Each structure stands twice: as structure tokens, then as C-alpha cells.
Amino acid sequence: MTSTAAESFAPGPAWADTLQVGGLLDRYLIGLDTEKLDDAWARGIFTEDAAVVFPMNAHQGIEGLAEWHRASLAAFARTQHLNSPAVVECAGDTATLRANLVSTHVHHSDAARSDLFTVGTSVTGSALRTADGWRLTALTFAVIWMDGEPPGGAG
């Protein structure tokens, strides 16, 4: 028997996994804007060996991951990250995801540039089911478009 598109969206254990993996991306992005980025935050989302890769820099491993994010975000007065629903594909205890993201960064008021730096990106990632639940093993961000000036003036 072949499955139909409607059957692939039927609630069940696989659907719960899909929602949990997509929820990790949501928690990550909302956390960048509103939460205290500490080791507990990072460990609730990522595996010990996780990699986060942006076009301008990257970080490997859970150690120092929260601080790396805090330092990156310190360049801005505020941020807002809005993502599309993630397309998640689970295969046993591993999963992949992809989504679109629009990130708006508000420069500090003393910056000699426009108030906003906005970026449209595609996000890809992978996740692993661990003893503590699903955790991201990798996130990679690829720029599709930019508007305004990033820190450092290159843009």
C-alpha cells in the first residue's frame, strides 16, 4: 500500500518528532531575541558537539556557544528573528530541517549608519534524539539578501 500526502501528515509518533525538531529551531531563534543566553539555554537546544555556521563566522561545540551568541548579538541594540515553519524529515533517531528566516537587527543609537540591518537567509540543520530528547547537531545559515549595513560596514 502506498501512502498519500494526507497520510504523511497524520498525527502520530513521527509527527510528534517533527514538531519537536521544528520547535528546537523556534526556541533557538526566539531565544536570541528574548532569553538569557547561558549554558542551560544552549544545552536545552544543542548536542555537545553541535556546530552553528553563519556566513561570517562559526562555532563548534557546546562549550562557549552561549557566550559566542551573546558576543555576536552585542553588536546590536535589539534583534528580531522571524522564521517560516521548518520542513523536517525524521529518520529514526536523526532528522534534518530547513526553513527561511528574516532577521532584523537594530543598530545602537550611536552607530553612524541606518537604524536597521535586515537579512533574509535559508537555514538548514540536523538533529539527534538523545536521552534528554531531540537536540540540534548543526545549524547553517546562508544569506539570500541583505538590506542596510552589518557591523563593520561591509554590506
Side-chain angles (χ1 to χ4, degrees):
M1 174 179 203
T2 59
S3 67
T4 65
E7 290 170 335
S8 67
F9 290 107
W15 187 247
D17 289 342
T18 298
L19 291 174
Q20 290 173 26
V21 172
L24 289 170
L25 179 62
D26 296 340
R27 286 179 35 219
Y28 168 75
L29 294 169
I30 289 171
L32 295 177
D33 300 330
T34 63
E35 294 184 19
K36 178 181 175 185
L37 304 183
D38 58 16
D39 290 341
W41 168 81
R43 291 183 189 287
I45 297 171
F46 293 98
T47 60
E48 290 290 322
D49 60 347
V52 178
V53 179
F54 289 102
M56 64 299 233
N57 59 17
H59 186 86
Q60 177 76 43
I62 199 80
E63 294 302 320
L65 185 61
E67 172 56 32
W68 179 74
H69 279 89
R70 286 193 309 270
S72 296
L73 291 169
F76 304 103
R78 292 176 304 286
T79 60
Q80 184 177 39
H81 296 81
L82 302 173
N83 60 300
S84 69
V87 175
V88 177
E89 296 181 18
C90 295
D93 291 337
T94 62
T96 59
L97 65 85
R98 57 190 167 93
N100 289 319
L101 170 65
V102 175
S103 302
T104 302
H105 308 80
V106 179
H107 288 293
H108 293 284
S109 60
D110 60 351
R113 63 183 115 224
S114 68
D115 288 342
L116 300 178
F117 169 54
T118 308
V119 184
T121 60
S122 64
V123 181
T124 58
S126 56
L128 178 68
R129 187 189 326 262
T130 71
D132 295 319
W134 285 97
R135 297 292 187 269
L136 295 173
T137 57
L139 283 178
T140 301
F141 298 82
V143 172
I144 299 171
W145 59 267
M146 290 190 296
D147 186 32
E149 284 188 58

